[in-house]
Amino acid sequence: MSDFAYAYFSTELEKLDVSSLEGIFEKVQKLLAKKRAIADENSVDPEEVERINAVYAKIPREEQVAVAHSSMRSMWEAVKNDTW
């Protein structure tokens, strides 16, 4: 928030009575809880990363790269032949 916006916002808040400020405070708390929940959902679970890495560790590197290489080759052929 810019300094100007903060100054304006603060000035407007000063004009409100206690019950209005409490209402705004409750709404801000709900919004904050919602934002925190979304942030927690989007966070990466280290244990899940370890499980995924353990699965990929069992697959030879050449086999993992072959799939990506095949996909890239297919895309290149589609672009080259203008069939996409």
Side-chain angles (χ1 to χ4, degrees), residues 30-48:
K30 288 178 185 177
L31 179 60
L32 186 57
K34 190 186 305 184
K35 294 276 188 174
R36 283 182 177 151
I38 290 170
D40 289 344
E41 279 181 15
N42 294 334
S43 66
V44 176
D45 180 11
E47 291 178 8
E48 185 176 352

Side-chain angles (χ1 to χ4, degrees), residues 17-77:
D17 61 8
V18 173
S19 63
S20 296
L21 286 171
E22 287 174 341
I24 291 172
F25 184 65
E26 288 174 14
K27 290 177 183 178
V28 169
Q29 283 182 314
K30 288 178 185 177
L31 179 60
L32 186 57
K34 190 186 305 184
K35 294 276 188 174
R36 283 182 177 151
I38 290 170
D40 289 344
E41 279 181 15
N42 294 334
S43 66
V44 176
D45 180 11
E47 291 178 8
E48 185 176 352
V49 171
E50 286 182 26
R51 286 192 298 270
I52 292 169
N53 286 341
V55 170
Y56 278 99
K58 296 175 185 175
I59 302 171
R61 183 177 182 276
E62 295 77 21
E63 188 176 334
Q64 293 179 38
V65 173
V67 173
H69 183 69
S70 173
S71 177
M72 289 182 346
R73 182 174 295 177
S74 298
M75 183 55 120
W76 167 245
E77 290 297 324

